[in-house]
Amino acid sequence: MSIQQNYEILRKEVPSHVTIIAAVKTRTVNEVERAIDAGVVDVGENYVQEAAKLREALGEKASRVRWHMIGHLQTNKINKALKIFDMIQTVDSIEQAESIHRRAANNQKVIPVLIEINSGGELSKSGLKPEDEPVEHLVRAAAKMKSIRVDGIMTMGPLFENPERMRPYFRKTRNIFQRIRSLGIEGVQFNTLSMGMSDSYRVAIEEGSTMIRVGTLLFGPRY
Ligand SMILES: *Cc1c(COP(=O)(O)O)cnc(C)c1O
């Protein structure tokens, strides 16, 4: 099936309050262009440099969509990332939040961010411990930084063949999300929960996701 058909089917299936991010790592300019033409309005990239190249090649079309940083962001790439992305989904320390805040302030910007949680506690993955306390600590600190806006939480979770096995990790993340939201911290909206990928988006939505990130489902397998 075409990218357009894949997107249309998914958009119909997924509730309208759930944002669909097209995860475009390794995809060609042409593929991304077809996704935008099909109606995709949110694009996710894992690398600053790749996103810069894509935006450049897409020209005017690039500004029709919102760009999400969904990979680990290195400190020396923050300035460039601020020019390219509308949201950074991978903030996982106060130091990093502070670095982004300072640079955004210099550019007279306010950048929306999500806190990344390592819900499976995997050594290979970045993100905060999946517990209330460290997340609350970071959100309270970030709430005072006027050039970032903390909108919610993002998680990858461990990958399993069977998406049902991801449910406990999504549920744990959702519980942390709701707990933090219920605190009503000043300056914090906390209405975005980014979780679920091609194999797991259904389970993630059942567990409260408001934003899914899909690559394979739209574009086919990565080689
Ligand atoms: C690649 C990627 C996705 C999408 O993965 P698929 O399995 O292709 O849907 C989602 N989120 C992040 C952070 C990714 O790196």
Side-chain angles (χ1 to χ4, degrees), residues 23 25 46 70 154 156 197-198 213-216 222:
K25 63 174 176 273
N46 297 62
I70 60 174
M154 182 272 230
M156 293 267 286
M197 316 202 312
S198 293
R213 309 176 308 270
V214 292
T216 312
R222 276 184 295 277

Side-chain angles (χ1 to χ4, degrees), residues 159-219:
L159 297 177
F160 297 108
E161 285 281 318
N162 178 358
E164 271 305 321
R165 292 189 61 193
M166 299 184 68
R167 192 182 291 279
Y169 303 94
F170 290 149
R171 185 164 295 177
K172 187 190 287 182
T173 305
R174 193 259 314 262
N175 287 339
I176 296 170
F177 173 74
Q178 285 183 328
R179 242 265 308 154
I180 303 291
R181 188 158 67 163
S182 73
L183 298 173
I185 299 168
E186 200 184 314
V188 175
Q189 295 277 344
F190 235 65
N191 44 26
T192 302
L193 181 54
S194 173
M195 60 185 193
M197 316 202 312
S198 293
D199 292 333
S200 59
Y201 71 93
R202 288 191 176 115
V203 173
I205 291 169
E206 283 166 10
E207 295 303 329
S209 171
T210 68
M211 185 177 264
I212 59 174
R213 309 176 308 270
V214 292
T216 312
L217 199 67
L218 293 179
F219 299 107

Side-chain angles (χ1 to χ4, degrees), residues 1-8 30-31 34-35 38 218-219:
M1 265 196 289
S2 70
I3 293 169
Q4 175 170 0
Q5 286 169 313
N6 291 338
Y7 178 70
E8 282 170 1
N30 185 266
E31 287 173 302
R34 276 187 278 151
L218 293 179
F219 299 107

Side-chain angles (χ1 to χ4, degrees), residues 47-78:
Y47 300 100
V48 176
Q49 196 53 39
E50 295 308 308
K53 279 192 215 154
L54 273 176
R55 288 204 66 153
E56 171 88 31
L58 287 165
E60 175 271 329
K61 235 167 230 181
S63 48
R64 282 196 222 160
V65 293
R66 288 184 291 264
W67 292 77
H68 300 257
M69 177 57 175
I70 60 174
H72 176 70
L73 179 57
Q74 291 170 285
T75 308
N76 62 357
K77 300 274 170 64
I78 293 173

